[in-house]
Amino acid sequence: MLPGIIGVVQATEAIKLLLGIGEPLIGRLLTYDALGMRFREVKLRRDPKCPLCGEHPTITDLSIHRTGAVEACAVSDDGESEGHGAAAGAPPVKAGA
């Protein structure tokens, strides 16, 4: 039942955005308490220092993700990073660390 309720909320939001009608949950977080059957809405403020959507974004190109995370986060057999960007050349992270 829980996945169905959340799925209906997500589908409704998508329809509102696609059709340009209603009031979408932009800038708001909707939480659902299944045990108490209650919804709660929390208003969110945009972080002006956010690297993606802030006043001076540093993340401006997401093309590395077009081919999938495999290339972006690839590690060779010797444990060296083969990825692009800030992670390239960084020491590998071991499982459980």
Side-chain angles (χ1 to χ4, degrees):
M1 186 157 121
L2 177 63
I5 293 170
I6 300 304
V8 167
V9 170
Q10 290 176 325
T12 303
E13 285 301 298
I15 290 170
K16 290 192 297 187
L17 288 170
L18 290 170
L19 297 179
I21 59 174
E23 185 181 348
L25 285 171
I26 296 172
R28 299 177 292 150
L29 175 68
L30 185 67
T31 63
Y32 175 60
D33 174 8
L35 294 177
M37 286 300 287
R38 285 185 221 108
F39 285 92
R40 187 171 65 124
E41 183 181 305
V42 180
K43 290 187 179 185
L44 300 174
R45 287 182 274 128
R46 179 174 276 176
D47 180 4
K49 295 180 182 178
C50 176
L52 184 63
C53 65
E55 295 173 357
H56 305 287
T58 56
I59 301 172
T60 58
D61 182 16
L62 300 177
S63 62
I64 190 172
H65 298 288
R66 285 189 189 137
T67 56
V70 175
E71 287 183 25
C73 303
V75 176
S76 66
D77 291 336
D78 62 359
E80 292 296 319
S81 175
E82 296 176 356
H84 307 288
V93 177
K94 296 182 180 173

